[in-house]
Amino acid sequence: MHGAPIEAGTVVVRDGRIAAVGPSANVPLPAEAEIVRAEGCWVLPGLIDAHTHAGIEEQSVGEPGDDLNEASRPDDAELRVIDGINPADQAFEDALAAGVTTVAVLPGSASPIGGQTALVKCQGRTVDEMIVRSPAGVKSALGENPKRVWATRHAGAATRPGIAALIRRAFTAAQQAASDPPQESSGTPAAALWRVLDGELPWHQHAHRADDIATALRLADEFGYRLVIHHGTEAHLLADILAARDIPVVCGPLIGTRGKVELAGRTWRTPAVLHAAGVRVAITTDHPGVPIQLLVLQAALAVKAGMDRAAALRAITSVPAEIYGVADRIGSLTVGTDADVVLWSGDPLDVMSRPLLVYVEGRVAYRDADW
């Protein structure tokens, strides 16, 4: 996804990785190669959804499959989302059938600090087999969700100023814990937050409204951590500021009603405006907020609203990989990356196109009935 499209191309896979890619005339095939002919198909890297709750808010299960929000205290930085991911969630099969081979799984947005995120492949018997990166960051939430949850719990997080103050106290405590021997153990909130402060982990900030995004920028400036805005419903209003600071935005979901006050400014144009300003943009379903099968449809809607086609495809492939620091493994058809490869019946941004064959690390993970 980094370069121009290749007409009549060949991808060579060996030992689960891409060994060669280019025009067929320039790519010799190993003598022992098993050849998959894909005339008329589009071949893309596996898609990446940069913000989901797959495996922790399970489909068709109800309460027993809901591990989205601990919400027993406002600072749950030490919680690890991998301890709640169920690989048997139907979401992962649905993802593969839609050409999505990797998803970021984040805790919910009930608490100001919700826990540690993970990036996982959509195939595996255990979550340990699926992990691409864990932890992949720490999730935080500003705005109406934590306000609503903590309004009556007397935890000092019932208002926007209260939520911001709680986050400040948590980071200040982490700084103090790191400087005072003996150091905190790896399982404490302070230790998790220190990994954000020292730049190892990004801070994944749930923020819809422009004023909440401005608060997220203010906090990041105060403590110097790497910030990623998630949802960014009104991020287009601050596009120039985000671009100047090189703050990525995981934008979406784009489909749905304006079901709460923070969504009043929702528009399909947000990814286009952000990209035009120079912001790195990923597009998300927030599954199950929007079914994960509709990730590529959201990219198409962004194009319909003015986003560059190539940028829209990068928003569901290479840009999420860059945001999570794993572009050397996924998100592109590049020599040395994982062989997560999808054969599409046609242009993926055409609603009539569908994945015919999906590989995860060189192994068939999904095959269309007509293939």
Side-chain angles (χ1 to χ4, degrees):
M1 296 308 302
H2 293 295
I6 298 172
E7 298 288 343
T10 292
V11 178
V12 177
V13 173
R14 182 183 294 113
D15 298 327
R17 295 185 178 272
I18 295 178
V21 62
S24 297
N26 300 338
V27 179
L29 294 177
E32 72 283 4
E34 176 186 347
I35 298 175
V36 177
R37 299 197 178 279
E39 288 86 352
C41 295
W42 287 52
V43 181
L44 266 71
L47 306 185
I48 305 169
D49 193 324
H51 180 125
T52 79
H53 307 296
I56 61 168
E57 191 175 8
E58 298 175 49
Q59 298 186 67
S60 308
V61 176
E63 184 64 27
D66 184 358
D67 292 297
L68 184 63
N69 290 294
E70 173 62 28
S72 56
R73 57 184 178 180
D75 177 1
D76 278 324
E78 80 274 27
L79 297 186
R80 301 175 185 180
V81 76
I82 58 169
D83 294 326
I85 295 175
N86 182 3
D89 183 5
Q90 181 68 39
F92 294 113
E93 290 186 19
D94 290 344
L96 291 170
V100 180
T101 56
T102 304
V103 296
V105 183
L106 284 71
S109 52
S111 297
I113 305 175
Q116 299 170 40
T117 70
L119 192 68
V120 301
K121 297 289 180 76
C122 292
Q123 186 179 53
R125 293 177 300 165
T126 69
V127 68
D128 306 271
E129 296 177 358
M130 301 161 68
I131 291 172
V132 178
R133 173 159 291 180
S134 177
V138 176
K139 169 72 178 294
S140 172
L142 298 172
E144 296 303 317
N145 284 19
K147 276 184 61 179
R148 182 183 67 253
V149 171
W150 295 96
T152 60
R153 299 192 186 186
H154 308 291
T159 64
R160 281 179 166 83
I163 292 165
L166 185 146
I167 293 170
R168 286 189 179 95
R169 286 196 298 272
F171 275 119
T172 300
Q175 290 173 329
Q176 294 171 346
S179 61
D180 295 337
Q183 289 201 356
E184 298 279 344
S185 70
S186 61
T188 65
L193 294 179
W194 181 248
R195 297 176 74 180
V196 175
L197 291 171
D198 72 2
E200 178 185 352
L201 299 177
W203 187 249
H204 294 294
Q205 187 67 73
H206 166 116
H208 285 279
R209 279 184 3 191
D211 59 334
D212 289 325
I213 296 171
T215 296
L217 293 170
R218 192 178 313 117
L219 288 166
D221 286 345
E222 290 176 28
F223 292 98
Y225 52 72
R226 290 190 291 133
L227 176 65
V228 180
I229 298 296
H230 285 253
H231 302 306
T233 300
E234 294 185 356
H236 56 281
L237 301 178
L238 304 177
D240 57 332
I241 298 173
L242 293 165
R245 302 189 185 196
D246 191 24
I247 306 297
V249 178
V250 177
C251 189
L254 302 180
I255 303 173
T257 63
R258 297 181 176 94
K260 59 182 180 179
V261 65
E262 291 176 315
L263 303 182
R266 173 186 274 167
T267 169
W268 293 353
R269 294 185 62 250
T270 299
V273 173
L274 291 171
H275 172 69
V279 177
R280 289 180 290 157
V281 184
I283 293 174
T284 178
T285 61
D286 192 22
H287 176 90
V290 167
I292 199 162
Q293 301 97 309
L294 302 183
L295 178 62
V296 73
L297 174 60
Q298 292 197 135
L301 293 175
V303 173
K304 183 177 181 179
M307 192 176 194
D308 175 77
R309 286 176 55 86
L313 287 174
R314 289 195 298 270
I316 53 176
T317 53
S318 60
V319 173
E322 293 168 3
I323 288 173
Y324 282 94
V326 291
D328 60 330
R329 284 196 58 185
I330 59 175
S332 66
L333 297 179
T334 304
V335 172
T337 59
D338 293 356
D340 298 348
V341 182
V342 182
L343 275 64
W344 290 81
S345 62
D347 181 352
L349 296 180
D350 183 338
V351 71
M352 299 303 292
S353 298
R354 66 189 191 279
L356 299 175
L357 199 58
V358 178
Y359 293 88
V360 175
E361 297 181 9
R363 298 183 297 273
V364 175
Y366 170 79
R367 186 187 301 271
D368 184 82
D370 292 336
W371 179 262

